[in-house]
Amino acid sequence: MSVFSVAFYFVFAGNLLTNWGVLPGADDDTDQGRPWFPIVLFVGLAIPAAVAEFIVFRSLLMPLGLESLSPISFALILFLLYYVAAVLTKALSGRTLSVLSDSSHALPLSLALYAAALASTAAVNSLLLVIASTASAALGFAAASIFLKDILDRIALEKLPENLKGQPVRFMSAALMALAFSGIDAAFFSRLVV
Amino acid sequence: MTANPASKQSLFALTAGLAPMLIAATDLASGLALSGAFLCVFTVASAMPLLLPKRFKARNLSMITLGFAAILLSLYSSILRILDPMLFELLYRRLFIVLFLTPVVAAARAPASESERDRGWEELIRGAVMSLLILGMGFIRELLATGAISLVQNESSIARPFLPIMAQPAGAFMLLALGSALTLSIIRLAKRSSV
């Protein structure tokens, strides 16, 4: 990610999450019931995982010529941090962790998807840029998930042809979101020289 | 983000879980490489729980299975690197996404009953069908994006764009949406004709 795209996703995701009441600070929250703690936890786990993976990549994977194992190492570190956080939460407060959903499997799968998404982006050489990229990607990922969920809730109120209900309209909504972001990237960020 | 691999997977849920691979297969060459990787990993993930002794706990069984699958995938990527270094450089980050896909995680669970154990061969067929789906996705996307098919990237195929959006993730999602709608309508027609 370039510096400008990192900044954009920080501003966009932060703005979206604040306006949607997930982060505190909005004048009129759309839904008071949205918890902000899980988002902070999600981003909070991703950043140290990215730093640890950066160190592991530089000190272990690169000297041994195992750069292709970077996605696995990142995912393992992320899952390890999640289970440590879950065990600590359970031990200290007696509560279980749940992020963005009531399903107990949502966060591990979310972390797995996030690991895969991060692994697909270009490698960066600066630790500060790694931290910024990770935080912005985590915030953007969380925002996009909430955004898509609310789009689908709104679409459920519309009259759609039977064959478009369910998976087809979900894929089409994701396609339009991806089109918007790739358009912004192509029309704006790729023209800026860092 | 709410998918639960422990629940019974419908065909559409598994296809949705396969979406990252379908998005990553941008042309025939990458589709071929990714479908081969998926086939190897899924075969190991579905066969290992049936072959390992029953005394293993379910969680340990999944971890061991995915560990073996990761080793096999590393070997596959090494072979790909020898066969086509350029393709490996383009794909090596996407290859390891296979281990995190919902169908693979679901297949790596211990069978819940003896009848599930006896029908393990159905999982292998399902894996073959999904890998063909990945290959087909790469084929269709390259055909629609460039108007031509090539296993080797050359300048002529890049210079004749047809529907360039199909090479982007947005185009892949659109194809998935249209394919899902078409499949649903075929299933509905078949149900109506059988009633």
Side-chain angles (χ1 to χ4, degrees):
Chain A
M1 283 190 186
S2 69
V3 173
F4 289 100
S5 57
V6 168
F8 171 78
Y9 287 121
F10 254 129
V11 169
F12 174 77
N15 193 23
L16 198 64
L17 291 173
T18 307
N19 280 332
W20 285 53
V22 179
L23 290 176
D27 291 331
D28 51 338
D29 289 344
T30 56
D31 183 355
Q32 294 289 343
R34 289 184 191 272
W36 56 268
F37 172 74
I39 300 287
V40 172
L41 176 69
F42 188 46
V43 175
L45 288 179
I47 292 173
V51 173
E53 200 272 337
F54 183 80
I55 296 168
V56 166
F57 184 81
R58 290 270 169 150
S59 59
L60 191 65
L61 298 181
M62 270 180 70
L64 294 175
L66 296 172
E67 294 91 340
S68 55
L69 293 181
S70 167
I72 293 183
S73 73
F74 183 82
L76 284 174
I77 294 168
L78 205 54
F79 277 116
L80 184 67
L81 286 176
Y82 161 68
Y83 282 113
V84 165
V87 165
L88 283 175
T89 307
K90 186 86 178 168
L92 293 173
S93 65
R95 290 188 295 179
T96 53
L97 280 180
S98 64
V99 176
L100 298 176
S101 164
D102 293 330
S103 166
S104 60
H105 294 281
L107 182 56
L109 280 173
S110 303
L111 293 177
L113 285 173
Y114 174 66
L118 191 68
S120 300
T121 58
V124 293
N125 293 321
S126 156
L127 181 61
L128 279 177
L129 205 53
V130 166
I131 294 172
S133 298
T134 308
S136 66
L139 278 176
F141 179 60
S145 301
I146 296 169
F147 196 35
L148 192 59
K149 184 184 173 305
D150 281 344
I151 287 174
L152 293 173
D153 287 344
R154 177 68 181 85
I155 284 175
L157 300 173
E158 299 293 328
K159 257 176 113 177
L160 289 174
E162 281 300 315
N163 292 334
L164 286 180
K165 285 183 184 172
Q167 292 289 0
V169 76
R170 286 178 193 191
F171 283 133
M172 194 53 79
S173 303
L176 293 172
M177 278 181 64
L179 195 61
F181 278 100
S182 64
I184 291 169
D185 197 36
F188 184 57
F189 294 116
S190 60
R191 293 170 188 270
L192 294 171
V193 177
V194 178
Chain B
M1 290 177 81
T2 58
N4 183 351
S7 65
K8 197 168 172 173
Q9 295 287 313
S10 70
L11 176 65
F12 276 112
L14 284 177
T15 310
L18 202 57
M21 273 291 106
L22 297 173
I23 308 299
T26 53
D27 51 34
L28 183 60
S30 59
L32 195 59
L34 291 171
S35 67
F38 180 84
L39 189 63
C40 292
V41 169
F42 192 86
T43 304
V44 168
S46 51
M48 287 286 294
L50 305 176
L51 298 173
L52 287 176
K54 290 181 190 177
R55 65 170 181 268
F56 283 104
K57 282 185 189 171
R59 184 183 293 183
N60 295 340
L61 193 72
S62 298
M63 295 292 290
I64 293 168
T65 302
L66 289 174
F68 272 105
I71 292 169
L72 183 67
L73 187 57
S74 305
L75 287 172
Y76 178 89
S77 63
S78 303
I79 293 170
L80 181 66
R81 193 176 201 172
I82 294 167
L83 291 175
D84 193 339
M86 177 80 84
L87 188 61
F88 173 80
E89 288 300 320
L90 287 172
L91 287 181
Y92 83 93
R93 284 184 178 274
R94 299 182 222 175
L95 272 175
F96 287 91
I97 296 174
V98 180
L99 292 167
F100 305 124
L101 296 177
T102 308
V104 172
V105 174
R109 291 177 299 118
S113 61
E114 281 303 314
S115 62
E116 242 187 67
R117 186 175 280 273
D118 292 337
R119 286 165 38 212
W121 60 271
E122 291 180 5
E123 285 290 320
L124 298 178
I125 293 175
R126 196 182 293 184
V129 169
M130 283 192 275
S131 65
L132 281 174
L133 194 62
I134 296 169
L135 179 63
M137 188 68 159
F139 174 82
I140 291 171
R141 285 177 76 185
E142 186 174 5
L143 186 64
L144 291 174
T146 63
I149 298 291
S150 172
L151 270 178
V152 177
Q153 287 213 348
N154 53 45
E155 289 180 8
S156 59
S157 67
I158 294 169
R160 287 197 305 262
F162 182 54
L163 275 178
I165 188 69
M166 286 299 156
Q168 303 292 326
F173 277 118
M174 286 177 199
L175 267 182
L176 283 174
L178 294 172
S180 308
L182 188 63
T183 309
L184 269 176
S185 55
I186 291 171
I187 291 171
R188 285 208 171 94
L189 274 173
K191 277 186 184 169
R192 256 184 245 157
S193 62
S194 65
V195 166

